[in-house]
Amino acid sequence: MECRGCGEDFPEADGPTHQYVLSSPGCWKAYGHVLAREYQNRNYWPLHRMTVDAYAVQHRGVDTPQARNSVAIHLSRLCVMLQAGWPMEKANAAMVEITARKMRYPWLVPPENRGALTIRHVLNARTPAEHLAAVDAWAHSTWDAWAEHHEAVRTWVKTLCE
């Protein structure tokens, strides 16, 4: 079954999905497996926030206030990590600040190309090193897919993090 968010094909599955994140039950289940791996073994943890951000923006939902804010906040954290080279701790602190301001972000029209990599790329990793490399590549692929909105995101980050 094709996931409505990332476009990846997953086996038919029964189960939950997220309230406003667009995904198929199979994709949501795959994401859960990746999160479990990251929570259970600290060697998989260093890029956990990138996992969350890449999934959130690749499965961006529909135009609702929650989805708008989610995409904006997760793109902002990807921006500071991938473009500005901020360490995870500093990026997390910025995200807490950005979230606390409860801004009303505009809807960013999602890109047709959602990125070449998906959660499956990370799920297939077998070692911590492979996992971290897969998360990094997926995060870059997803960030790159949103290129037409990079300037808007950079403006938000600059305004919010000054």
Side-chain angles (χ1 to χ4, degrees), residues 81-96:
M81 289 186 296
L82 301 177
Q83 300 283 287
W86 289 13
M88 196 68 62
E89 297 77 25
K90 185 176 179 182
N92 279 345
M95 187 167 183
V96 168

Side-chain angles (χ1 to χ4, degrees), residues 20-150:
Y20 60 87
V21 169
L22 277 182
S23 69
S24 67
C27 186
W28 187 250
K29 184 176 179 180
Y31 179 55
H33 285 301
V34 168
L35 293 182
R37 182 189 296 167
E38 292 177 349
Y39 285 122
Q40 292 171 0
N41 183 332
R42 68 186 188 130
N43 295 316
Y44 290 89
W45 180 258
L47 300 182
H48 168 71
R49 300 297 182 196
M50 276 189 193
T51 299
V52 173
D53 296 333
Y55 195 85
V57 301
Q58 200 167 51
H59 298 79
R60 73 263 169 236
V62 296
D63 186 4
T64 64
Q66 280 182 310
R68 277 181 286 216
N69 287 346
S70 175
V71 167
I73 290 165
H74 290 288
L75 279 174
S76 294
R77 186 162 57 191
L78 284 174
C79 178
V80 298
M81 289 186 296
L82 301 177
Q83 300 283 287
W86 289 13
M88 196 68 62
E89 297 77 25
K90 185 176 179 182
N92 279 345
M95 187 167 183
V96 168
E97 177 66 26
I98 290 167
T99 303
R101 294 192 186 191
K102 303 218 182 272
M103 292 186 58
R104 291 188 181 130
Y105 293 97
W107 178 244
L108 300 178
V109 175
E112 262 187 60
N113 172 0
R114 296 166 262 196
L117 304 177
T118 68
I119 190 70
R120 183 182 305 283
H121 182 70
V122 179
L123 187 63
N124 290 338
R126 296 290 164 229
T127 66
E130 287 178 9
H131 178 92
L132 296 175
V135 170
D136 185 67
W138 178 37
H140 277 89
S141 172
T142 304
W143 169 252
D144 291 346
W146 287 81
E148 70 181 274
H149 300 297
H150 285 180

